[in-house]
Every structure is written in structure tokens, then in C-alpha cells.
């Protein structure tokens, strides 16, 4: 008996746990190496002794799990770039740095700047490695660079800023999980292009752009072309915000991200096209090589996103199984693909697309015994649409807790959208690939089929926009924490286990998880409601200050539309939607045992006694040194309504007088907790 016949799912579980341990705990390298060596030695010993036993011993399983945990920690530790002595962070200067590197990938831009990954090869004349976030302001009059361009820059490297207001998306934390920690701003005077590096990224971008440029003969409308870019090669950087929002609100945003659906269509097309190869003497191996080559070339051209790599890996395992005439357990196949991907790129674990895609597939497979029993007649077309609806429902059940945690919303019309969009997008994908080939074979025929492609995409976009227009059916701004997500998953799992086999222990287990979910919700809500705090927001147009107490939130601002303020809405959602009362901004605020003086654009102030905190808003024309000498505050805060030049001047004044200074435009919101 082979002792290594141990459930792969358990191995993956402990491997993932090791990755999480290393990411959050960041153990010392020497201690981790010692731990890995000891666990590896114990595992080898247990393997040696287990070979002598007919029945596998428990100690072997325990040592295998321990070794899997250690291996996961070690793999992540090796891939975490700051652990390496040649990482650029070890050679950074505080003011300016001379940096040489290559543009490796274009990211989705925001309203103010284009964004790229910039791979560093040299900093301050030291050979290094690592990746920076390169921002190119849209107001800068420079030619848009290309992937592979080698740039020599000179400027300050700054940390990617954390969330500037409470309960906002933390972009810095997200980028940290991509091994990107700093950013650099490009302008016309701080860089020079020194050449072009024809590396893997260069050729990938070049051939991808060449394929997409073939559609230029069709003169598609931008919203049509951007859907083609997303469906065929996963390029969503230029997708209009309105289109993305419609797909999200309709519950079909997965259509825009290349995933299992797209790869399954491609896989089926490939098997159909190369079916004649089976007649060849070595047809099986030719078929395997052809399928794997095409799928991985497609994955590379589409950017190797987590969902694409997951899907291609899964279908690669299936192809190997068919080649060997073996049918593997689907759960083990999923676990093997997870292990392979995380071995080579452990940061995939933190990718939302990676998490959603695996949980969706697991839910579809696990819930199959339920929805396969549901039949409506013998009509094949009816079967197709009911299967589509039921599979969509199974996937939605699986990802719902995760979507609540990450996106805080539930699109209740997702079934109505998926019934039309899934078959329609499948036809569009097949037709799009056909037109893509024709673009380089016969332009006239390509234009003919291109009209049909454009028509179908416009129909799909209009239908999705129509579904998304029912705003009342999109439940948004749902506060949800990590513990609530775990509790909801436990409740769903136990409920489905009870449905599979209705017994009292399973029913009791489900009731216990429901009570745990309610308890977690009540404890979370109680902890949030009992916390008192005053927050000075980084609000650009109007000053916004909130005072949170058990009775609710008081918001102070001179903005007449403050109730619709995005920052205030996010803050309210993060606090589980307490009552918010709005008041005009006052010159004096009292919070706990602190007196807070607000000096607005008029520069006028009158206060009896010494204030603890001074808040500057609207760039008041004052001599701050004279004000501080007279009032002697403990802290000066400048909110987001002030000019940058004034903030710099005030900061220097505070340095002279040795009074702490805080600018929300640089460091984000400021919170004062009640010390009473």
C-alpha cells in the first residue's frame, strides 16, 4: 500500500494556512528555515516507518500536514520580494532616487492618471529588482509609453497611500499583495527613454495589440470594441465606467473577466477542430500538445490573470486525464490545480478573482445533486435554459458571502440577466474568435460578420443596461465583516448538508451555525455602536467632521448636500448604518475633554481659553506661528480643503514651534478617540 495516498484537499488546506501565516505574521527567515528543516526531517522519518506498516498510521498524516504548512510558509516567504537582499527597498533614499527600469504592464487608469507596473533593474547605481506603481498624470503632455520601454527616472519614491477616509477601499493593502509597495509619478522633466527591452512582456503586449488592432477595419463604437477587448483577450483597462457598473449591477460582471465559461468554449472549439488528429498514429499526443499550447498561449496573451490561469490549469489537468484515459475526482482536480498555482505564485491566494472562480466552481459541482433532479419536460432548449439558470443560481449561492464581504451588494436579478447573457456571450465569443481570424485572412468577409458581431454586442449591452436599470432590485451598501462571511458560509454548508441527508444531528448543526451567525452579528454591531470617535475627513470641497456616539452620528459641514456625500455614506455603511444627523459647521467643538477650534477661510476666530486642537479649513489667510504662540495648541490639523502651498508653509511653521502637524491630504483622515 502506498502511504502517500492521502487526501490532497487536506494537504492544500494546510499549505494555504502556511501562506496565510507567513503573510500576516512575517516570521524571521532563520526561524522559518529551522521550522521547515525540522518538519521535513520528521516527515521523512514518518514516511520511512510508515512503509513498514500495512495500514497507514495517524502520525504520518499529522507530519504530512505539518510539512505542508511549513512548505506553504516557505513558498510565500521566498516569493515575498522584500525578504531578498537585492530588493530595491534596501537602497531607497528619502528625497530623490535615480531609477532605471522597464514598463511591464498597463493597469486600469483612474480619472487622473494612467497607471503601469514598472520593473526596476537599477536604483542609485545598484543592481536591484522589484516593481513600482508608475503614475502618469493625464494633464502631462507626454507621449503614452509602450510596454518594454526602458526609462531612466529621477524623483522621489513614495509609499502607495492608504485609504484616505474611513471604510474606503485600501489600495495600498491590495497592491502589497501584488508585491508592489511604492509609487512614482512621471512628468515631462523627470525621465528619459533610453531604449526598449524586447522581453516576454514586450512580445506579449505586441502580439496582443496586433490581434486587437485587426478590429480597426470595422470602426466599432467604443463600447462595442471594449467588450470585444474584454471577452477575447481580457483587456478591460479602457472599459467605460457606465458599462462596468451595468454589468456589476445586473450580476454578470463575470462575463467581462475571462474565466471558466470562456475557456470551456475555447476548449470545446479546439476539440472539435482538431478531432481529425485522432486518426493519426500519434493522434492523442498531438491533440494534447495542440490543446495545451493553444490554451496557454491564450492565457499569456490575456495577461495571466488569476481566473484565466485557474481555468487553463483546470482544463490542462482534464486534458492529461483524457490522454491517460483516467477520470479524476473533480474535487481532487480542483485541489491539485490550487496547489500547482500557489506553488508558483502564492499571491494568487489573495486575488479576488481567484477566490471567486474557485468557490463558484466548487459550488456548481457540490450542488449538482440538487439541481440535476429538477427537470421541466423533455424539450432540449428548455433543458438548456433551466440548466443555465440553475448553474447560475448554484454559483451565486457559493460566491454570495464573498461578494457581500468584498462588494457589499447583491444583484437580485442575476438569474434574469444570466438566462440571456450566458448563451448570448457564448455566441459572441465564438463569432468574435472567427472574426479575429478573418481580420487577417479576408477583410471583406470579416467586415460582413463584424456587423453581426457588433449587433449582438449592442443587444447584450442594451439588455444588461435594462436589467441594471431596476435599481430597487440591486441591494447595495450592505455592511459585512470577515467574521460574518465565515459564519454565513458555515450556515450555508450545514444547511446544504442537512438537505443532502435529513437527520437530526445535521439539522441541529445547522441551527447552531444560524445562532453563531446571529451572535457574531450582534457582537459586531454592539462593538461598533459602543465605540465613540471624532473623525476629520479628507474631503476636498467642503470640510466634513463627524462625532460618533452611542446615539448615532452627528455630521458637521457647510455643504448643503452633505447627506449625499460619498465619504459620509461609506462611513455610515461601515458603522452598520446608524442614524446620521447633519449640522452646520461650528467654530468650536467639544469632544470628551478636548476643545477643538476650527479656523475657516475667513481667518477669524475667537476663543476663550486654550484649544487642544486647531483645524484649518479653506486656506485661511493667517500667520500660523502667531496663532500658535497665542493659543499654544497640542495639535494642528489641515483638512483636504486647503491649498497644497499653504499646507507646506504651515508644516514648516509647526516644525519651528515643535507643535505636531497633520495634513489629511498626505496622511488621510484623522481620528480622535474618546479617552473618558
Amino acid at each position: 500500500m502506498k502511504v502517500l495516498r492521502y487526501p490532497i484537499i487536506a494537504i492544500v488546506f494546510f499549505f494555504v494556512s502556511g501562506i496565510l501565516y507567513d503573510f500576516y505574521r512575517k516570521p524571521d527567515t532563520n526561524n522559518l528555515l529551522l521550522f521547515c528543516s525540522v518538519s521535513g526531517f520528521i516527515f521523512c522519518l514518518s514516511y520511512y516507518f510508515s512503509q513498514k506498516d500495512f495500514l497507514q498510521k495517524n502520525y504520518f498524516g499529522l507530519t504530512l500536514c505539518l510539512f505542508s504548512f511549513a512548505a506553504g510558509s516557505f513558498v510565500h516567504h521566498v516569493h515575498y520580494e522584500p525578504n531578498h537582499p537585492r530588493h530595491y527597498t534596501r537602497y531607497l533614499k528619502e528625497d530623490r532616487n535615480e531609477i532605471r527600469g522597464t514598463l511591464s504592464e498597463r493597469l486600469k487608469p483612474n480619472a487622473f492618471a494612467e497607471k503601469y507596473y514598472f520593473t526596476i533593474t537599477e536604483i542609485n547605481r545598484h543592481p536591484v529588482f522589484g516593481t513600482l506603481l508608475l503614475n502618469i498624470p493625464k494633464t502631462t503632455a507626454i507621449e503614452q509609453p509602450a510596454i518594454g520601454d526602458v526609462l531612466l527616472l529621477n524623483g522621489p519614491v513614495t509609499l502607495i497611500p492608504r485609504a484616505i477616509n474611513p471604510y474606503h477601499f485600501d489600495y495600498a493593502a491590495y497592491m502589497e499583495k501584488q508585491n508592489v509597495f511604492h509609487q512614482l509619478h512621471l512628468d515631462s522633466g523627470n525621465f528619459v527613454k533610453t531604449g526598449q527591452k524586447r522581453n516576454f512582456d514586450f512580445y506579449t503586449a505586441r502580439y496582443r495589440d496586433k490581434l486587437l488592432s485587426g478590429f480597426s477595419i470595422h470602426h466599432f463604437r467604443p463600447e462595442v470594441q471594449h467588450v470585444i477587448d474584454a471577452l477575447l483577450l481580457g483587456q478591460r483597462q479602457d472599459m467605460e465606467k457606465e458599462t462596468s457598473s451595468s454589468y456589476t449591477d445586473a450580476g454578470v460582471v463575470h462575463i467581462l473577466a475571462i474565466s471558466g465559461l470562456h475557456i470551456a468554449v475555447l476548449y470545446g472549439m479546439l476539440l472539435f477542430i482538431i478531432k481529425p488528429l485522432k486518426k493519426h498514429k500519434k493522434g492523442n499526443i498531438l491533440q494534447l500538445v495542440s490543446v495545451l499550447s493553444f490554451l496557454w498561449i491564450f492565457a499569456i496573451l490575456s495577461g495571466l490573470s488569476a481566473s484565466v490561469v485557474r481555468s487553463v490549469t483546470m482544463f490542462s489537468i482534464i486534458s492529461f486525464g483524457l490522454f491517460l484515459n483516467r477520470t479524476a475526482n473533480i474535487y481532487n482536480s480542483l485541489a491539485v490545480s490550487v496547489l500547482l498555482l500557489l506553488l508558483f505564485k502564492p499571491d494568487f491566494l489573495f486575488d479576488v478573482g481567484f477566490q471567486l472562480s474557485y468557490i463558484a466552481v466548487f459550488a456548481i459541482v457540490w450542488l449538482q445533486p440538487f439541481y440535476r433532479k429538477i427537470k421541466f419536460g423533455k424539450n432540449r432548449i428548455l433543458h438548456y435554459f433551466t440548466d443555465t439558470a440553475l448553474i447560475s443560481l448554484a454559483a451565486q449561492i457559493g460566491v454570495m458571502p464573498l461578494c457581500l464581504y468584498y462588494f457589499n451588494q447583491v444583484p437580485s436579478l442575476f438569474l434574469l440577466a444570466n438566462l440571456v447573457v450566458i448563451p448570448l456571450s457564448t455566441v459572441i465569443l465564438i463569432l468574435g474568435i472567427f472574426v479575429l481570424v478573418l481580420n487577417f485572412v479576408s477583410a471583406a468577409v470579416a467586415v460582413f460578420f463584424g456587423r453581426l458581431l457588433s449587433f449582438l454586442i449592442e443587444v447584450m449591452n442594451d439588455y444588461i443596461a435594462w436589467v441594471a436599470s431596476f435599481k430597487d432590485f440591486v441591494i447595495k451598501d450592505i455592511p459585512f465583516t470577515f467574521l460574518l462571511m465565515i459564519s454565513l458560509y458555515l450556515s450555508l454548508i450545514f444547511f446544504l448538508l442537512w438537505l443532502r441527508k435529513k437527520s437530526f444531528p445535521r439539522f441541529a448543526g445547522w441551527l447552531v451555525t444560524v445562532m453563531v451567525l446571529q451572535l457574531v452579528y450582534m457582537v459586531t454591531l454592539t462593538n461598533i455602536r459602543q465605540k465613540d470617535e471624532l473623525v476629520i475627513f479628507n474631503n476636498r470641497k467642503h470640510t466634513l467632521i463627524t462625532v460618533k456616539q452611542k446615539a448615532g452620528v452627528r455630521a458637521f459641514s457647510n455643504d448643503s448636500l452633505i447627506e449625499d456625500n460619498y465619504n459620509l455614506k461609506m462611513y455610515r455603511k461601515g458603522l452598520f448604518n446608524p442614524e446620521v444627523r447633519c449640522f452646520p459647521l461650528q467654530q468650536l467643538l467639544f469632544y470628551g475633554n478636548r476643545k477643538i477650534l476650527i479656523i475657516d477661510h475667513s481667518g477669524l476666530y475667537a476663543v476663550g481659553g486654550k484649544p487642544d486642537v486647531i483645524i484649518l479649513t479653506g486656506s485661511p489667510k493667517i500667520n500660523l506661528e502667531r496663532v500658535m504662540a497665542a493659543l499654544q495648541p497640542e495639535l494642528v490639523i489641515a483638512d483636504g480643503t486647503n491649498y497644497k502651498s499653504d499646507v507646506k508653509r504651515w508644516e514648516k511653521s509647526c516644525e519651528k514651534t515643535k507643535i505636531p502637524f497633520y495634513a489629511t491630504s498626505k496622511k488621510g483622515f484623522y481620528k480622535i478617540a474618546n479617552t473618558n
Side-chain angles (χ1 to χ4, degrees), residues 478-593:
I478 305 171
F480 219 70
T481 64
F482 180 78
L483 283 178
L484 283 172
M485 180 190 72
I486 298 298
S487 303
L488 182 55
Y489 266 124
L490 286 174
S491 183
L492 283 173
I493 290 169
F494 274 84
F495 177 70
L496 294 170
L497 286 173
W498 173 69
L499 285 182
R500 281 196 169 194
K501 184 180 178 181
K502 294 182 179 179
S503 64
F504 177 75
R506 294 194 177 194
F507 182 72
W510 173 56
L511 289 181
V512 170
T513 58
V514 171
M515 289 188 288
V516 168
L517 176 61
Q518 293 175 331
L519 182 63
V520 169
Y521 178 79
M522 289 188 293
V523 170
T524 302
L525 189 62
T526 302
N527 289 338
I528 289 175
R529 294 289 167 86
Q530 287 183 344
K531 183 173 60 177
D532 290 355
E533 62 185 22
L534 180 145
V535 178
I536 299 103
F537 288 74
N538 185 53
N539 209 50
R540 292 189 175 184
K541 293 184 178 180
H542 300 275
T543 296
L544 173 59
I545 301 173
T546 59
V547 176
K548 183 202 166 296
Q549 294 172 321
K550 294 178 184 178
V553 175
R554 289 180 294 155
F556 297 91
S557 179
N558 287 332
D559 183 4
S560 59
L561 302 174
I562 190 59
E563 292 181 359
D564 298 323
N565 183 275
Y566 176 75
N567 295 328
L568 184 59
K569 284 183 176 181
M570 292 293 289
Y571 183 64
R572 183 172 181 266
K573 181 190 72 176
L575 296 176
F576 281 65
N577 300 313
E579 180 187 0
V580 176
R581 293 174 296 163
C582 299
F583 300 92
L585 189 65
Q586 304 171 13
Q587 192 172 68
L588 272 179
L589 286 176
F590 294 90
Y591 178 71
N593 57 358

Side-chain angles (χ1 to χ4, degrees), residues 384-385 388 418-428:
Y384 173 78
F385 281 100
T388 299
N418 278 284
L419 275 173
V420 174
V421 171
I422 288 179
L424 187 56
S425 64
T426 302
V427 174
I428 289 171

Side-chain angles (χ1 to χ4, degrees), residues 43 99 110 226 232 387 435 479 574 597 654:
F43 169 69
I99 303 167
N110 59 23
H226 294 156
L232 295 187
D387 283 349
V435 173
L597 171 65
C654 287

Side-chain angles (χ1 to χ4, degrees), residues 142 145-146 163 231 248 252 343-344 359 394 413 418 445 531 561 592 651:
I142 60 174
L231 280 175
T248 301
V252 292
L343 275 170
F344 291 99
I359 290 176
L413 295 179
N418 278 284
V445 179
K531 183 173 60 177
L561 302 174
E651 187 173 12

